[in-house]
């Protein structure tokens, strides 16, 4: 939008006859073949001008084809590219009177009632719409996109004519019929028709704007919603350099090309909503190299399942696991698989060979056209075809590759794609692993030997063989005190794991040591009553305003299992409501929709097992909601008669934030419906405040699940809450009545005297030292500010949330939304690597997990952490972890 469009040499008649159009399109095919056999360079410019005129007269759909051709300098002569670029933002447009009449028709009012200024000469004109610069009455400069008169009708005429030709071809050709051309054309036609609907475009543009808000180098114009109509879209004006003038940008064009590819891939793989037409007329550049994304007439949307399929397929290709890639590609993006399933071995071998050829053998000369052609030909031989979604993805990839190749003719498309996929996988790439192998082989040789020894006899799913996030370089601890740990090689670290939460007072605190020593001396009692058990129950009940009784168990996972059982017994219902991304321990139900695999609409997620081996019946009996989505709570009323309870983390550790308005609405709704509300405060209980997050929010649940801190570092869990619920586990002294109306709770070591003594010591200390929480809050704020400054000064996209000693760090530009949106675009590779870089600089934090402060951390400890983070970012930026 930085320059006025050129004027065409002549005005073209509105109703150009069809015969020359057909001739021109046929001539395009014939000429392309002829120039390969015998190039006629002296005719290229003349041919290009003739083709341009015919495409313009043929209508907007044909002009769109010309726009795509203008990005394919690898397929057509440079004279064609230069001439057809006119269609990207310099196409014919309405004159000033026509434009004014159209604007006032859309506004239903005089132009000067809305605009202080309006330039009648468009700053850009494409195949469907033209864009004017203007100023609103308040002085704000805006861009006004206006659909040209007659274009919706022309699009419809184009598509009907083309559709008739496709139907005729399908009847005449078995090859076309096998490709299911009519259905595929119908899907593409739907995309084209949406281009003339500015209401639809505005909604897509607003969604993409939200997705890139805060991004370091991608900008999307903000929509001005009060001035959007079916044929007019008003938005923030963005000044920029046209894509075909990228040489004017003060940044190497190869870097611009990488940014472009990374942006398109981010939209497809991460957001699931992509610009569908990324040609140079729709993407501008700022002088400093920012990408300004314009025009959302065509977008491509992928479901969560399709995003997963796309990412998992290409990830297998990066690892050269060809058989796995074949399985994933076929499962997600191939339809009509009856024949290939019967001939699976042959099909698998052939497709694996095609994938290996493109992704490995000739990857440095990557051709999207060649890749899609070869796969499509193979599928045809087996009577199969791409799904419609993959067809749309193909179009975006083709446009992106064409534009990126214009920017950097030497670009390695596949290498950039591999690096992109690598950033969003939880496993280390070969390059990263080699760097750390060399470093940690020297720093922690004894720990690495212990790791190898452990792998011979131990599966340690918490700290070595962690699901999704295995620890490649685990630290083995020799001793721990205060806020620090020391490994087997004598390295000392400031510890930010705190055992995943229990050690709020730090390691080896005197009150805990004394309690455990006295407990050992007195003899550890379990399965028999003792005073420490009663004392711990009294402390727990006193800490929570709504609690009347407590039931002790051995872990947070057990506490959730017990709470859900009590509610099912009380309500005589089976269905449990939980929230996407909330982890409630490793039970089948606690893990439903808790990881990085999502499905269904984001406002009404479908439950999905958190792990292989989950009981499918338990998964089906789970309803998944979104934390923070107040409107979504209406679903509780729809399903009220089926529900046993609602369980929620009031302050999810993944965000370290409390949504008090949402929790209040949730409490009101569940109370109105008589559905028990369960708070999972296994992490936050006694950490963010004495009595947990519920005391901060001022909201009283029916049951609260606890663990971690309440055992003083020893295994412990508890459920506290209303007596009518906890008493579901209390015997009636009638065995028949117990079976009919009570729920069983057990556990040999539940409430053992050693754990209870340690828990009593910690809770009593926390109760009697309330300033401890104030100090933790102050230190949390200080360290968060240090982290934010380190990322800000380097321009690294990073979201840092922290409250009450809990930190959540996410290398992403995306602001907190629903859980799946926060995860989409998170640089998992960088987050894992951060843990290892921090260890190089004397700080231990777990890979991809919230980290924690303790009351034992000193000012010196925090200074070490702040400096280690700053140094780690310097190292990581130098090693290429962040796209610039």
């Amino acid at each position: 939008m930085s320059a006025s469009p050129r004027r065409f040499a002549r005005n073209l008649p509105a109703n150009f006859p069809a015969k020359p159009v057909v001739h021109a399109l046929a001539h395009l095919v014939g000429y392309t073949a002829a120039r390969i056999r015998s190039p006629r360079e002296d005719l290229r410019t003349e041919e290009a001008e003739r083709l341009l005129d015919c495409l313009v007269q043929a209508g907007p759909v044909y002009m769109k084809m010309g726009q795509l051709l203008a990005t394919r300098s690898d397929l057509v002569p440079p004279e064609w590219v230069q001439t057809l670029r006119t269609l990207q933002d310099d196409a014919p447009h309405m004159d000033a009177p026509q434009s004014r009449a159209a604007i006032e028709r859309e506004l239903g009012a005089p132009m000067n009632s809305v605009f202080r200024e309006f330039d009648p000469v468009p700053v850009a004109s494409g195949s469907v719409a033209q864009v004017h610069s203007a100023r609103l009455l308040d002085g704000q400069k805006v861009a006004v996109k206006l659909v040209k008169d007659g274009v919706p009708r022309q699009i419809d005429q184009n598509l009907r004519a083309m559709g008739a030709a496709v139907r005729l071809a399908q009847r005449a050709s078995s090859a076309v019929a096998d490709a299911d051309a009519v259905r595929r054309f119908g899907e593409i036609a739907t995309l084209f028709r949406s281009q003339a609907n500015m209401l639809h475009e505005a909604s897509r543009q607003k969604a993409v704007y939200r997705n890139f808000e805060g991004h370091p180098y991608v900008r999307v114009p903000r929509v001005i919603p009060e001035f959007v109509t079916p044929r007019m879209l008003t938005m923030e004006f963005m000044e920029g350099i046209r894509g075909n003038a990228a040489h004017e940008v003060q940044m190497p064009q190869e870097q611009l090309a990488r940014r472009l590819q990374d942006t398109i891939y981010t939209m497809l793989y991460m957001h699931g909503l992509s610009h569908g037409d990324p040609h140079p007329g729709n993407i501008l550049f700022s002088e400093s190299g920012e990408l300004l994304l314009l025009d959302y007439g065509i977008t491509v949307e992928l479901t969560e399942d399709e995003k997963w399929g796309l990412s998992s397929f290409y990830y297998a290709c990066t690892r050269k696991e060809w058989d796995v890639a074949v399985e994933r590609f076929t499962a997600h993006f191939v339809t009509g698989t009856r024949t290939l399933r019967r001939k699976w071995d042959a099909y698998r071998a052939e497709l694996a060979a095609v994938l290996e050829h493109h992704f490995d053998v000739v990857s440095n000369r990557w051709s999207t056209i060649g890749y899609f052609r070869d796969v499509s030909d193979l599928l045809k031989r087996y009577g199969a075809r791409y799904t419609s979604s993959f067809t749309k993805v193909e179009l975006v990839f083709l446009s992106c590759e064409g534009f990126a190749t214009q920017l950097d003719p030497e670009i390695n498309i596949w290498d950039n794609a591999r690096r992109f996929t690598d950033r969003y996988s939880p496993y280390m790439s070969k390059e990263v692993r080699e760097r750390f192998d060399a470093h940690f082989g020297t720093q922690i040789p004894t720990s690495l030997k212990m790791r190898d020894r452990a792998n011979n006899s131990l599966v340690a799913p918490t700290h070595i063989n962690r699901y999704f996030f295995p620890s490649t370089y685990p630290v083995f601890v020799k001793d721990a005190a205060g806020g620090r740990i020391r490994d087997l090689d004598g390295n000392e670290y400031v510890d930010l794991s705190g055992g995943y939460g229990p050690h709020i007072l730090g390691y080896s605190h005197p009150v805990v040591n004394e309690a455990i020593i006295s407990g050992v001396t007195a003899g550890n009692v379990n399965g028999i009553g003792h005073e420490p058990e009663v004392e711990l129950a009294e402390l727990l009940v006193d800490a929570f305003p709504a609690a009347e009784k407590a039931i002790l168990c051995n872990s947070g996972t057990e506490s959730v299992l017990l709470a859900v059982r009590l509610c099912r017994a009380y309500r005589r219902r089976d269905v449990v409501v939980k929230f996407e991304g909330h982890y409630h321990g490793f039970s089948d139900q606690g893990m439903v929709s808790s990881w990085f695999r999502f499905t269904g609409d984001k406002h009404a997620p479908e439950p999905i097992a958190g792990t292989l081996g989950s009981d499918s019946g338990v998964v089906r009996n789970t309803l998944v909601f979104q934390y923070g989505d107040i409107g979504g709570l209406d679903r509780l009323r729809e399903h009220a008669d089926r529900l046993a309870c609602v369980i929620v983390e009031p302050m999810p550790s993944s965000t370290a934030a409390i949504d008090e308005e949402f929790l209040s609405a949730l409490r009101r709704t569940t109370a109105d419906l008589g559905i028990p509300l369960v708070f999972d405060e296994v992490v936050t209980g006694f950490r963010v405040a004495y009595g947990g997050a519920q005391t901060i929010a001022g909201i009283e649940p029916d049951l609260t699940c606890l663990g971690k801190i309440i055992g003083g570092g020893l295994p412990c869990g508890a459920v506290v809450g209303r007596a009518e619920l906890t008493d579901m586990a209390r015997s009636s002294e009638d065995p028949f009545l117990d079976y009919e109306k009570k729920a069983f709770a057990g556990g040999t070591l539940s409430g053992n005297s050693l754990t209870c003594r340690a828990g009593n010591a910690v809770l009593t200390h926390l109760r009697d030292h309330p300033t401890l929480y104030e100090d933790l809050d102050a230190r949390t704020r200080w360290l968060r500010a240090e982290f934010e400054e380190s990322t800000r000064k380097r321009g690294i996209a990073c979201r840092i949330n922290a409250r009450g000693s809990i930190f959540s760090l996410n290398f992403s530009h995306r602001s907190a939304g629903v859980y799946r949106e926060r995860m989409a675009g998170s640089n998992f590779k960088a987050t894992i690597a951060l843990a290892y870089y921090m260890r190089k600089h004397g700080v231990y934090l777990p890979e991809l997990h919230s980290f924690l402060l303790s009351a034992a951390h000193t000012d010196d400890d925090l200074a070490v952490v702040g400096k280690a983070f700053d140094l780690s970012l310097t190292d990581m930026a130098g090693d290429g972890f962040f796209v610039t």
Side-chain angles (χ1 to χ4, degrees):
M1 288 190 266
S2 59
S4 299
R6 75 172 176 87
R7 293 287 185 255
F8 270 63
R10 60 183 181 275
N11 292 323
L12 300 173
N15 297 308
F16 190 77
K19 185 176 179 180
V21 174
V22 174
H23 172 75
L25 296 176
H27 183 75
L28 166 63
V29 176
Y31 176 72
T32 303
R35 85 171 185 85
I36 295 174
R37 294 192 303 269
S38 178
R40 289 289 306 274
E41 296 185 9
D42 57 320
L43 296 179
R44 286 179 179 176
T45 300
E46 179 184 344
E47 295 282 356
E49 289 289 347
R50 186 182 306 165
L51 175 63
L52 174 63
D53 286 349
C54 288
L55 291 174
V56 169
Q57 294 176 75
V61 175
Y62 296 96
M63 292 168 68
K64 186 63 65 179
M65 295 177 181
Q67 291 174 347
L68 181 59
L69 270 180
T71 68
R72 302 305 314 197
S73 56
D74 55 331
L75 299 179
V76 298
E79 291 84 356
W80 283 34
V81 170
Q82 188 62 37
T83 300
L84 294 179
R85 280 178 179 173
T86 299
L87 297 173
Q88 293 171 347
D89 56 11
D90 248 355
H93 55 82
M94 297 186 294
D95 60 24
Q98 285 178 299
S99 299
R100 183 182 186 92
I103 290 287
E104 293 188 338
R105 180 190 67 228
E106 293 304 307
L107 290 174
M111 187 181 292
N112 60 13
S113 67
V114 173
F115 300 110
R116 175 193 297 179
E117 300 173 9
F118 189 92
D119 188 347
V121 179
V123 295
S125 180
S127 57
V128 173
Q130 58 194 54
V131 181
H132 297 262
S133 65
R135 287 192 186 275
L136 299 176
L137 295 180
D138 63 5
Q140 180 182 359
K141 189 173 184 180
V142 296
V144 181
K145 184 173 183 180
L146 185 64
V147 176
K148 302 173 191 178
D149 288 346
V151 161
R153 174 181 54 80
Q154 290 175 328
I155 290 176
D156 189 60
Q157 290 174 343
N158 286 168
L159 293 175
R160 280 193 283 111
M162 296 171 76
V166 171
R167 288 191 294 274
L168 180 63
Q170 182 154 310
R171 287 195 296 270
S173 168
S174 59
V176 177
D178 289 343
D180 198 13
V182 170
R183 182 181 63 82
R184 289 178 177 278
F185 177 77
E187 292 163 349
I188 293 174
T190 299
L191 289 177
F192 278 117
R193 285 192 171 94
S194 69
Q195 279 205 286
N197 183 342
M198 293 296 101
L199 295 175
H200 177 270
E201 180 166 342
S203 70
R204 300 296 83 196
Q205 184 167 330
K206 286 189 285 188
V208 177
Y209 175 88
R210 289 192 298 270
N211 287 340
F212 279 112
E213 192 171 9
H215 194 279
Y217 60 78
V218 176
R219 301 288 178 265
V220 177
R222 181 175 55 84
V223 171
I224 314 296
E226 56 266 39
F227 302 120
V228 176
T229 73
R231 295 287 177 264
M232 184 181 78
L233 169 59
T234 306
M235 70 196 91
E236 170 189 8
F237 189 93
M238 285 190 166
E239 198 78 40
I241 298 167
R242 294 183 181 184
N244 55 21
H247 58 276
E248 299 175 11
V249 179
Q250 297 173 4
M251 175 177 283
Q253 288 194 218
E254 57 268 24
Q255 188 172 357
L256 288 180
R258 287 196 301 272
R259 283 188 168 188
L260 170 66
Q261 188 179 350
D262 189 84
T263 300
I264 297 301
Y265 279 38
T266 295
M267 287 191 279
L268 282 173
Y269 287 87
M270 301 293 111
H271 300 165
L273 174 62
S274 175
H275 197 297
D277 195 16
H279 64 68
N282 289 336
I283 297 179
L284 307 182
F285 298 104
S286 71
E287 289 187 0
S288 62
E290 294 173 312
L291 274 66
L292 315 180
L293 305 186
L294 313 177
D295 193 341
Y296 298 88
I298 295 179
T299 55
V300 174
E301 296 184 57
L302 299 178
T303 66
E304 289 295 326
D305 292 328
E306 289 168 337
K307 284 167 54 182
W308 179 271
L310 194 64
S311 298
S312 63
F313 163 62
Y314 280 112
Y315 184 62
C317 291
T318 66
R319 294 165 64 89
K320 302 181 183 181
E321 297 172 346
W322 310 119
D323 285 349
V324 175
V326 170
E327 290 275 4
R328 291 173 177 172
F329 179 78
T330 306
H332 290 282
F333 296 111
V334 178
T335 186
T337 59
R338 181 179 301 176
T339 299
L340 67 83
R341 290 294 177 189
R342 291 200 307 268
K343 302 178 180 180
W344 178 258
D345 289 342
Y347 163 78
R348 180 179 58 193
E350 288 189 60
L351 183 52
V354 170
L355 297 179
E356 183 175 10
H357 174 75
H358 285 281
F359 288 99
D360 190 22
V361 178
V362 297
S363 62
N364 62 336
R365 302 186 303 279
W366 176 264
S367 168
T368 299
I369 286 180
Y371 164 64
F372 281 116
R373 180 196 62 228
D374 290 350
V375 175
S376 181
D377 289 346
L378 173 61
L379 293 178
K380 287 178 185 176
R381 292 202 301 274
Y382 286 90
R385 56 189 179 275
Y386 293 138
T387 62
S388 58
S389 293
F390 202 72
T391 301
K392 298 171 189 175
V393 170
E394 174 184 8
L395 292 173
V396 176
F397 279 151
L398 286 172
S399 294
C400 175
E401 179 182 326
F403 189 3
T405 303
Q406 277 189 12
L407 294 170
D408 177 15
E410 302 300 319
I411 190 172
N412 189 326
I413 294 287
W414 170 238
D415 186 60
N416 287 345
R418 183 188 63 78
R419 291 178 184 276
F420 175 90
T421 305
D422 184 58
R423 286 204 310 279
Y424 298 105
S425 73
Y427 302 102
M428 283 186 294
S429 64
K430 178 183 177 182
E431 294 87 348
V432 175
R433 192 175 190 117
E434 287 175 350
R435 284 196 292 271
F436 285 129
D437 279 348
H439 176 82
F440 287 113
T442 301
Q443 180 179 333
I444 56 169
T446 309
S447 281
L448 295 184
K449 289 178 182 177
M450 187 64 70
R451 173 200 64 188
D452 296 339
R453 174 183 167 188
N455 284 334
N456 291 325
S457 57
L458 172 69
V459 175
T462 303
H463 55 280
I464 302 177
N465 314 110
R466 191 183 302 110
Y467 187 73
F468 264 87
F469 319 123
S471 182
T472 310
Y473 307 101
V475 167
F476 283 79
V477 177
K478 181 177 183 180
D479 52 55
R484 301 198 174 209
I485 58 175
R486 188 156 54 98
D487 69 20
L488 298 177
D489 291 288
N491 300 299
E492 189 173 78
Y493 310 85
V494 176
D495 175 61
L496 298 182
S497 71
Y500 295 130
H503 303 292
I504 190 170
L505 300 182
Y507 293 103
S508 193
H509 193 279
V511 300
V512 178
N513 287 351
E514 182 180 342
I516 291 176
I517 292 170
S518 66
V520 170
T521 301
N524 186 23
V525 176
N526 62 282
I528 307 175
H530 50 86
E531 186 176 9
E533 181 182 28
V534 178
E535 290 175 343
L536 181 58
E538 290 171 342
L539 281 169
L540 295 175
V541 169
D542 288 345
F544 296 93
E548 296 173 307
K549 291 184 180 177
I551 305 173
L552 302 182
C553 53
N554 291 297
S555 70
T557 294
E558 284 189 23
S559 72
V560 170
L561 284 167
L562 179 54
V564 169
R565 178 181 290 178
L566 294 174
C567 293
R568 284 187 175 133
Y570 179 78
R571 285 272 294 171
R572 304 296 179 96
R573 303 287 191 274
D574 291 331
V575 178
V576 172
V577 170
K578 74 179 298 289
F579 292 83
E580 190 170 81
H582 288 207
Y583 174 71
H584 302 293
F586 62 83
S587 68
D588 290 354
Q589 194 141 50
M591 289 185 65
V592 169
S593 300
S594 289
W595 296 95
F596 300 101
R597 180 70 168 96
F598 313 116
T599 190
D601 183 85
K602 72 176 181 180
H603 295 297
E606 296 175 18
I608 189 166
T611 175
L612 189 66
S614 295
D615 186 323
S616 58
V618 170
V619 177
R620 286 193 301 270
N621 277 331
T622 308
L623 284 180
V624 183
F625 284 47
Q626 292 289 8
Y627 184 85
D629 182 8
I630 293 178
L633 295 180
D634 289 340
R635 293 171 61 210
L636 288 176
R637 300 186 184 279
E638 297 173 23
H639 299 280
D641 289 341
R642 304 169 55 211
L643 302 183
C645 65
V646 175
I647 185 167
V648 63
E649 289 184 80
M651 179 179 159
S653 55
S654 61
T655 61
I658 304 173
D659 190 331
E660 296 179 20
E661 181 183 5
F662 173 74
L663 292 175
S664 295
L666 178 61
R667 175 68 283 186
R668 287 193 303 272
T669 305
T670 53
D672 289 346
L673 299 173
I675 300 169
L677 176 61
V678 182
F679 275 9
D680 178 349
E681 295 226 46
V682 171
V683 174
T684 54
F686 298 102
R687 174 163 285 280
V688 298
Y690 191 83
Q694 60 191 261
T695 62
I696 296 174
I699 296 169
E700 299 179 359
D702 300 297
L703 291 176
T704 298
C705 298
L706 299 167
K708 298 191 185 295
I709 286 174
I710 69 167
L714 299 180
C716 190
V719 177
V720 302
R722 290 166 41 206
E724 60 185 308
L725 287 167
T726 57
D727 281 353
M728 293 300 298
R730 183 188 182 100
S731 174
S732 66
E733 300 184 8
D734 178 341
F736 300 98
L737 189 63
D738 279 1
Y739 184 78
E740 294 168 354
K741 296 186 181 252
K742 296 292 183 178
F744 178 80
T748 300
L749 293 173
S750 297
N752 70 81
S753 62
L754 194 61
T755 293
C756 290
R757 285 176 184 268
N760 289 334
V762 171
L763 297 188
T764 300
H765 185 84
L766 293 173
R767 182 195 63 192
D768 296 343
H769 296 82
T771 59
L772 180 149
Y773 289 105
E774 296 172 9
D775 292 341
L776 275 175
D777 283 338
R779 292 174 186 276
T780 301
R781 289 192 299 271
W782 183 88
L783 190 57
R784 174 180 177 173
E786 290 290 297
F787 285 176
E788 289 176 335
E789 174 60 18
S790 291
T791 57
R792 185 202 60 78
K793 68 185 182 184
R794 291 175 175 82
I796 293 173
C798 187
R799 294 285 174 179
I800 302 167
N801 293 324
R803 182 169 185 174
S805 79
I806 301 176
F807 286 76
S808 172
L809 184 148
N810 187 14
F811 286 111
S812 172
H813 68 275
R814 302 190 78 180
S815 58
V818 299
Y819 182 79
R820 65 175 64 176
E821 291 176 341
R822 289 196 302 275
M823 290 296 101
S826 296
N827 190 336
F828 298 132
K829 189 75 61 190
T831 308
I832 287 177
L834 173 66
Y836 298 135
Y837 280 102
M838 293 285 277
R839 291 175 201 178
K840 288 171 60 176
H841 297 295
V843 176
Y844 180 87
L845 56 87
E847 303 93 334
L848 276 177
H849 195 282
S850 299
F851 52 94
L852 309 159
L853 292 182
S854 76
H857 284 122
T858 65
D859 290 343
D860 287 344
D861 290 337
L862 266 62
V864 169
V865 173
K867 183 176 181 180
F869 184 73
D870 197 66
L871 292 172
S872 294
L873 292 187
T874 298
D875 294 344
M876 294 169 70
D879 287 341
F881 278 90
F882 308 110
V883 176
T884 58

